Amino acid sequence: MSALHHTLFIVGTVAISCLTAEIATSLPLLSIQGNAPTAGAATLHKPASPNAFAQPASNLSFEERMPFNLGHSLFKKLWVSSPSSTTASDGLGPLFNARSCMRCHVRDGRGHPPDVGQLKPATSTVIHLSIAPQNEQQETLLAQGKLGVIPEPAYGNQLQDMSIQGLPAEGRIALKYDEHTVTLADGEQVSLRKPRITITDLSYGPFHPDTMMSMRVAPAMVGLGLLEAISEADLLAHEDPEDLNQDGISGHANRVWDYKTQQTAIGRFGWKAGHPTIEQQNSMALRNDIGISNTLFPAGFADCTEAQSLCQSLPDGNSQHLDGVEASDDMVKMLTFYTQHLAVPDKRNRHSGSVERGEQLFSRIGCSQCHIPSYQTRSDTVASLADQTIWPYTDLLLHDMGEGLADHRPEYQANGREWRTPALWGIGLTQMVSGHTQFLHDGRARNLQEAILWHGGEADAARQHYSQLTANERKDLIQFLESL
């Protein structure tokens, strides 16, 4: 260990010195990113700006800019209800959460939870709903992996708090927080908040008594195509479901249903890795969030259930010239191309001493065991995404994150305490792009330190190590994250 790192790790009390020395010997040093661009040739090298997440990958050809721009137009398209004279834009709802993709992913960035006491729709936040299987058929579909959840009988897969004229929305999200204080080793006190959700104004009767709810905020959109281009073998190489190496980390991939191939595949997208491809993630979002049918999910009434007979009887925008649905295959293809090729901004302040020290601390306290720093993308994928060395800081696997973050709602092979490791690239630009610093799946963390301190389960050791760091060390680690 260098004199600098030796000095860094003996700062503070004897207890802190002993703990950090133990960490230093038990975990490997992180391979420093140095001058390597964050996303290979696709990296965005422009100065940071509020539109940093809405830029095309730098290595897109002139010809590829056209489908990217067309996809961007679809991403921000405001859909209208049927019937309408604009036959390429009708089909909204009848129940929905937003009129466009951009309404949830503003500037392609991260969503946020509704304000406490907010009465208007909670755009950029959704409540996923499900129940336990009620019969043998449902049990079989879950066991075969053909369904990830059993929808709530009256309200479907998620609560839609908006609707077209003449139809009541399903309900409203009322949010409160319970706060508690944690004390770090040097005496600093941090208040953590846990959301408490109440659904009010239910329009279609009470929920099933066994309803499970999970609040999710919209994630940032950058780098999705590169995550899709990581080889399955590279992801599965990090699986250790039985913790055979006894490091306390037992991540595993989610095995989910691919609606296009009609077979099980590795999940990569969504907070619990519930979708195997960007195309399927987008298609499901069109259906559930906006109420737009597509060939993967062709019902014109989208997520309306049999208990919502008026909703199912309303006109839809399914049209022969759009492949019999509301968003044609060409439209979905362009939308997918756009979301595949949103550029990842390059790391900032990479030569700052604080950032470099923080990068090493990130490894020393165990964060990089799940937030795997780097991969090489496959050769047999889209040319602009192929053979790139990328630094996303994720393993895309499911990990038990402890009772504090549990939603107690299984999804395919993810249990109620497990979440997919999110990629960290771009996280330092959240304030600039999205206007806030609210993190984790439900936006409960008001800054990066709170997000770290909510980690439990398999990440509990890393959280404890972080709590034992000195104030200056914690500052260095946060500055490293803010550089991404």
Side-chain angles (χ1 to χ4, degrees):
M1 182 183 293
S2 70
L4 174 62
H5 286 125
H6 180 71
T7 302
L8 179 64
F9 276 86
I10 63 171
V11 172
T13 65
V14 172
I16 295 174
S17 300
C18 293
L19 177 64
T20 51
E22 179 182 347
I23 299 167
T25 58
S26 63
L27 294 172
L29 282 174
L30 176 68
S31 176
I32 293 292
Q33 185 174 347
N35 291 321
T38 301
T43 305
L44 179 70
H45 296 287
K46 295 180 179 179
S49 75
N51 290 315
F53 289 177
Q55 305 300 314
S58 297
N59 59 348
L60 279 187
S61 67
F62 178 80
E63 291 77 13
E64 289 172 320
R65 298 297 174 105
M66 177 62 77
F68 180 89
N69 291 333
L70 289 172
H72 178 238
S73 297
L74 289 167
F75 193 80
K76 65 181 182 180
K77 173 202 281 282
L78 291 174
W79 295 85
V80 298
S81 59
S82 299
S84 169
S85 59
T86 56
T87 57
S89 298
D90 69 330
L92 177 68
L95 297 166
F96 58 97
N97 295 100
R99 288 184 59 196
S100 73
C101 307
M102 188 71 78
R103 289 286 176 91
C104 290
H105 306 272
V106 178
R107 291 192 290 270
D108 298 281
R110 185 184 302 266
H112 60 83
D115 295 332
V116 172
Q118 177 176 313
L119 298 178
K120 60 184 180 180
T123 304
S124 84
T125 299
V126 299
I127 305 294
H128 286 204
L129 305 170
S130 60
I131 61 172
Q134 303 296 299
N135 52 53
E136 186 175 343
Q137 180 186 20
Q138 291 178 348
E139 290 177 351
T140 299
L141 289 171
L142 290 176
Q144 292 175 341
K146 293 182 178 181
L147 282 181
V149 299
I150 304 301
E152 201 284 334
Y155 292 89
N157 291 284
Q158 70 187 45
L159 186 84
Q160 280 97 12
D161 57 0
M162 299 180 72
S163 59
I164 65 172
Q165 187 173 1
L167 182 73
E170 291 182 324
R172 290 278 182 267
I173 302 170
L175 187 61
K176 294 182 179 180
Y177 289 97
D178 298 319
E179 299 221 15
H180 69 278
T181 300
V182 298
T183 303
L184 308 185
D186 61 0
E188 180 183 345
Q189 293 190 322
V190 181
S191 180
L192 301 180
R193 63 177 191 172
K194 185 172 185 176
R196 186 153 40 96
I197 306 164
T198 303
I199 308 301
T200 66
D201 303 324
L202 286 172
S203 298
Y204 302 93
F207 284 136
H208 188 282
D210 298 327
T211 296
M212 296 173 278
M213 294 188 292
S214 183
M215 185 166 77
R216 316 276 179 90
V217 299
M221 301 295 294
V222 295
L224 300 183
L226 292 165
L227 297 180
E228 192 172 47
I230 298 171
S231 75
E232 187 173 296
D234 284 348
L235 295 180
L236 298 184
H238 296 291
E239 277 195 310
D240 186 14
E242 304 301 325
D243 192 20
L244 296 179
N245 63 2
Q246 298 184 337
D247 64 353
I249 308 298
S250 52
H252 67 96
N254 204 354
R255 271 73 174 178
V256 305
W257 191 248
D258 188 317
Y259 285 86
K260 193 167 188 175
T261 66
Q262 291 290 295
Q263 60 186 10
T264 300
I266 299 300
R268 299 175 189 240
F269 303 105
W271 286 106
K272 285 183 181 279
H275 293 288
T277 64
I278 299 171
E279 179 184 355
Q280 182 167 308
Q281 173 70 48
N282 288 345
S283 297
M284 182 65 84
L286 284 169
R287 174 192 187 268
N288 286 347
D289 300 345
I290 312 178
I292 298 299
S293 64
N294 49 81
T295 55
L296 282 185
F297 306 104
F301 52 77
D303 196 35
C304 296
T305 68
E306 292 182 0
Q308 299 165 339
S309 56
L310 175 58
C311 182
Q312 289 200 0
S313 69
L314 291 172
D316 60 52
N318 284 2
S319 302
Q320 185 175 356
H321 70 283
L322 296 172
D323 301 323
V325 291
E326 294 162 340
S328 69
D329 284 344
D330 283 344
M331 295 166 75
V332 171
K333 183 178 180 180
M334 287 184 287
L335 184 63
T336 298
F337 188 89
Y338 173 73
T339 51
Q340 278 180 324
H341 291 91
L342 284 166
V344 181
D346 204 5
K347 184 178 177 183
R348 297 161 305 287
N349 304 318
R350 66 173 70 243
H351 297 302
S352 160
S354 180
V355 169
E356 291 179 350
R357 292 191 298 271
E359 192 168 6
Q360 291 290 3
L361 283 165
F362 184 83
S363 176
R364 288 183 186 279
I365 70 172
C367 303
S368 61
Q369 290 178 280
C370 299
H371 291 280
I372 303 296
S374 185
Y375 296 89
Q376 184 80 9
T377 62
R378 306 190 319 269
S379 299
D380 60 339
T381 187
V382 181
S384 52
L385 305 175
D387 298 314
Q388 304 297 317
T389 301
I390 61 173
W391 295 78
Y393 297 93
T394 179
D395 59 9
L396 296 180
L397 301 180
L398 298 170
H399 295 276
D400 183 332
M401 295 300 293
E403 188 60 27
L405 289 176
D407 66 353
H408 303 292
R409 180 181 180 271
E411 184 175 338
Y412 289 106
Q413 295 181 4
N415 67 36
R417 291 165 54 105
E418 291 179 321
W419 299 94
R420 184 208 65 169
T421 307
L424 297 182
W425 51 14
I427 199 168
L429 290 174
T430 301
Q431 175 68 61
M432 181 177 289
V433 172
S434 301
H436 65 81
T437 55
Q438 294 175 256
F439 300 106
L440 300 178
H441 67 277
D442 53 14
R444 70 178 67 187
R446 290 161 290 197
N447 52 58
L448 291 169
Q449 176 164 265
E450 288 186 23
I452 294 169
L453 293 174
W454 270 111
H455 283 52
E458 295 173 45
D460 191 60
R463 178 192 61 78
Q464 292 188 46
H465 294 333
Y466 175 85
S467 299
Q468 295 286 343
L469 297 177
T470 68
N472 283 336
E473 289 171 332
R474 294 196 300 273
K475 180 180 178 182
D476 287 342
L477 195 151
I478 296 298
Q479 288 197 1
F480 161 65
L481 294 175
E482 290 174 343
S483 76
L484 297 178

